[in-house]
Amino acid sequence: MSHFTHMKTRFQNLFYLEKALNRLNIVHEEKLFTNSEIESSKTNLIIPQSNGYDIKFVWNGQEYELVVDMSYWEQPYPIESFIDKVAQQYAGEVIIGESQKTGFQPIKYQQNADGSNTLILERWNNEKIVTNA
């Protein structure tokens, strides 16, 4: 008997969530979902598993919830570690993406041996200095 677990997340942006999964080399696919309760169509992410019990990030109207049958978890690490890894990469992608909107560019993104990430951004001021003579 299947028993699905719904885990709340803070993932609200599909673009950054996909980038985080890509950075972790987690194979996933998009699936369009129409929810009459929310009255909109939203793309969900599916992480296929060989046993047929896929992991899903499903839009609940506010965020992407992780939906999984814990009895059929087939990932190389526990679900808590999985969520932590995705959340860490998601945060990095949000920082990079949002800072680029204000002119910053990432110059270094490094995953450290202790599991942390180092992110260095820079922005140059290209405005001309005008002097009145």
Side-chain angles (χ1 to χ4, degrees), residues 41-129:
S41 295
K42 198 71 174 175
T43 300
N44 296 323
L45 294 180
I46 311 298
I47 299 170
Q49 295 194 118
S50 62
N51 62 12
Y53 292 89
D54 300 338
I55 300 167
K56 300 173 184 162
F57 283 101
V58 178
W59 182 253
N60 69 9
Q62 297 178 337
E63 61 197 10
Y64 283 92
E65 255 179 356
L66 181 67
V67 179
V68 63
D69 187 331
M70 297 299 292
S71 302
Y72 298 99
W73 182 259
E74 268 193 351
Q75 298 304 303
Y77 27 78
I79 191 162
E80 295 82 10
S81 296
F82 174 83
I83 295 225
D84 287 346
K85 289 175 187 291
V86 174
Q88 183 180 34
Q89 296 305 318
Y90 179 87
E93 294 302 332
V94 169
I95 291 168
I96 291 170
E98 296 303 309
S99 63
Q100 285 179 322
K101 291 177 183 177
T102 59
F104 286 90
Q105 294 299 316
I107 59 170
K108 180 180 182 183
Y109 192 108
Q110 174 182 317
Q111 294 182 2
N112 303 313
D114 66 358
S116 66
N117 291 332
T118 300
L119 174 60
I120 299 174
L121 305 166
E122 72 178 3
R123 180 172 73 176
W124 292 90
N125 186 351
N126 291 329
E127 294 181 24
K128 292 181 180 179
I129 298 175

Side-chain angles (χ1 to χ4, degrees), residues 12-64:
Q12 297 177 329
N13 187 298
L14 179 67
F15 177 74
Y16 296 137
L17 179 55
E18 282 194 282
K19 288 188 72 123
L21 294 175
N22 288 338
R23 191 174 286 278
L24 292 167
N25 296 316
I26 297 173
V27 175
H28 61 280
E29 54 194 49
E30 291 183 3
K31 184 175 182 184
L32 188 61
F33 169 74
T34 302
N35 185 341
S36 57
E37 294 173 16
I38 302 171
E39 297 181 7
S40 68
S41 295
K42 198 71 174 175
T43 300
N44 296 323
L45 294 180
I46 311 298
I47 299 170
Q49 295 194 118
S50 62
N51 62 12
Y53 292 89
D54 300 338
I55 300 167
K56 300 173 184 162
F57 283 101
V58 178
W59 182 253
N60 69 9
Q62 297 178 337
E63 61 197 10
Y64 283 92

